[in-house]
Amino acid sequence: MNVYVIVAAFLAASVEFVEALTIVLAVGTVRGFRPAMRGTFWAVLALAALILILGEGVLRIVPIDVLRGIIGALLLLFGLKWLRKAVLRFSGKKSLHDEQQAYAKEIQRLQQSRGDAFEAQATAFNGVFLEGLEVVVIVLTMGAGANAYPSAILGALVGLVVVVSLGVALRAPLAKVPENVMKFVVGVMLTSFGTFWAGESMGVHWPLAEGTILLLIIGYLLISAVLVSMLKKKVATA
Amino acid sequence: MKWVQEVWGLFVDEPIMALLAVVSLGIGLLLSKIGLNSIAGLAMFLVIAIAIGISVHRDA
């Protein structure tokens, strides 16, 4: 088991599933929980199939060294996207993601549309599938890059179970989950993994072998903290 | 073509930052090939850090 991969997959999956849960709860509240759960079930099934087919297929066809290069580059781009948004959010340049607000917006949208049970099921399916797609990318890239599919799948599954359990228990959007901090951490982790694997596939010599991932995480955290502080000052003086 | 846009959007939301990230990989590859593989990682890290900096300042 690879602890880095478990943690990254768990955090990323939890964040995405919290967002998916908000949509499912909104659908359930307005149109009933039966179509909401049906849509969720089919979306989770489709995502699992995607992981199985792509994961197995890619690993069998592409040599691991080549795969690490491609995966590293994709993960770097993916992680940078998350990290950039997180820096902008924490510096006040972009509003923090608010689950309560997202829930209210979705409820309002559903109340205004006069759809049937099928539309409700489709809304839940779309929400879970689209949010889950990012989880699929993370599970596939981290699973292949570190050759640790079980760890990546375990992390994502634990995230799913935790979020669904809390959602069922509370029957409310998980507004108290520190989603913005989690997104920051995931952005840093994915960027670090991407840098490491892309570099490794190109023959870069990392001084501490796999331990360098930790150095990269610390490095990107420091850079992000400096950028947040610089941007905050800029916002304050504007 | 909508799905191509979806996939593109999954990885790129700021083209300049993405381009610089790809440039960092090119620099890493180049340095590794000419035998400077012990500083290639540091060079990659620095270019990526600059890419994040430029990208967030463009938004600010």
Side-chain angles (χ1 to χ4, degrees):
Chain A
M1 286 285 157
N2 185 323
V3 179
Y4 289 131
V5 172
I6 294 178
V7 172
F10 168 72
L11 290 176
S14 303
V15 166
E16 295 303 330
F17 288 136
V18 163
E19 289 177 11
L21 177 74
T22 300
I23 297 168
V24 174
L25 281 172
V27 171
T29 307
V30 178
R31 300 260 188 265
F33 278 93
R34 197 173 282 243
M37 292 320 291
R38 257 204 309 266
T40 304
F41 172 76
W42 287 115
V44 170
L45 210 67
L47 291 169
L50 211 58
I51 289 179
L52 210 70
I53 295 164
L54 287 179
E56 269 293 299
V58 165
L59 262 188
R60 274 170 203 271
I61 297 164
V62 188
I64 187 74
D65 276 344
V66 178
L67 194 63
R68 273 204 178 139
I70 299 167
I71 293 294
L74 290 178
L75 208 54
L76 178 61
L77 292 175
F78 196 60
L80 280 174
K81 197 181 105 173
W82 281 48
L83 190 53
R84 178 177 162 276
K85 272 188 195 159
V87 169
L88 289 172
R89 281 193 174 121
F90 277 84
S91 60
K93 297 302 297 180
K94 194 174 163 74
S95 55
L96 291 173
H97 187 82
D98 183 345
E99 221 48 59
Q100 207 70 49
Q101 208 174 34
Y103 180 68
K105 226 185 230 176
E106 190 63 34
I107 291 267
Q108 196 186 15
R109 192 189 69 77
L110 284 161
Q111 278 168 342
Q112 277 166 358
S113 77
R114 296 209 178 103
D116 52 9
F118 182 77
E119 195 221 343
Q121 187 180 311
T123 305
F125 178 88
N126 276 343
V128 177
F129 188 77
L130 290 178
E131 298 296 345
L133 215 52
E134 299 213 16
V135 179
V136 170
V137 171
I138 291 164
V139 168
L140 284 176
T141 50
M142 303 214 58
N147 216 355
Y149 268 115
S151 303
I153 292 171
L154 178 70
L157 273 181
V158 174
L160 177 69
V161 170
V162 169
V163 171
V164 169
S165 310
L166 286 173
V168 168
L170 299 173
R171 289 228 170 178
L174 304 180
K176 282 188 182 159
V177 170
E179 217 181 318
N180 294 294
V181 176
M182 283 162 80
K183 280 186 172 169
F184 205 140
V185 175
V186 173
V188 167
M189 288 188 88
L190 297 184
T191 306
S192 306
F193 276 110
T195 309
F196 181 80
W197 286 326
E200 205 175 49
S201 76
M202 295 184 304
V204 170
H205 170 72
W206 296 110
L208 302 177
E210 284 219 340
T212 310
I213 293 174
L214 199 60
L215 285 184
L216 287 168
I217 289 173
I218 294 168
Y220 285 126
L221 267 177
L222 286 175
I223 297 284
S224 307
V226 170
L227 285 172
V228 167
S229 140
M230 280 167 71
L231 288 180
K232 266 186 178 167
K233 274 184 200 153
K234 207 171 172 180
V235 171
T237 53
Chain B
M1 293 304 274
K2 207 182 163 202
W3 68 271
V4 178
Q5 279 178 329
E6 287 281 336
V7 174
W8 173 263
L10 212 54
F11 296 98
V12 178
D13 69 344
E14 222 274 311
I16 299 285
M17 183 176 65
L19 182 71
L20 285 172
V22 173
V23 168
S24 81
L25 298 180
I27 291 172
L29 181 66
L30 193 75
L31 290 175
S32 294
K33 291 295 170 206
I34 60 170
L36 296 172
N37 48 0
S38 52
I39 61 159
L42 182 63
M44 277 172 67
F45 171 78
L46 291 176
V47 177
I48 293 165
I50 290 168
I52 305 169
I54 290 174
S55 162
V56 294
H57 274 98
R58 271 164 55 90
D59 260 280

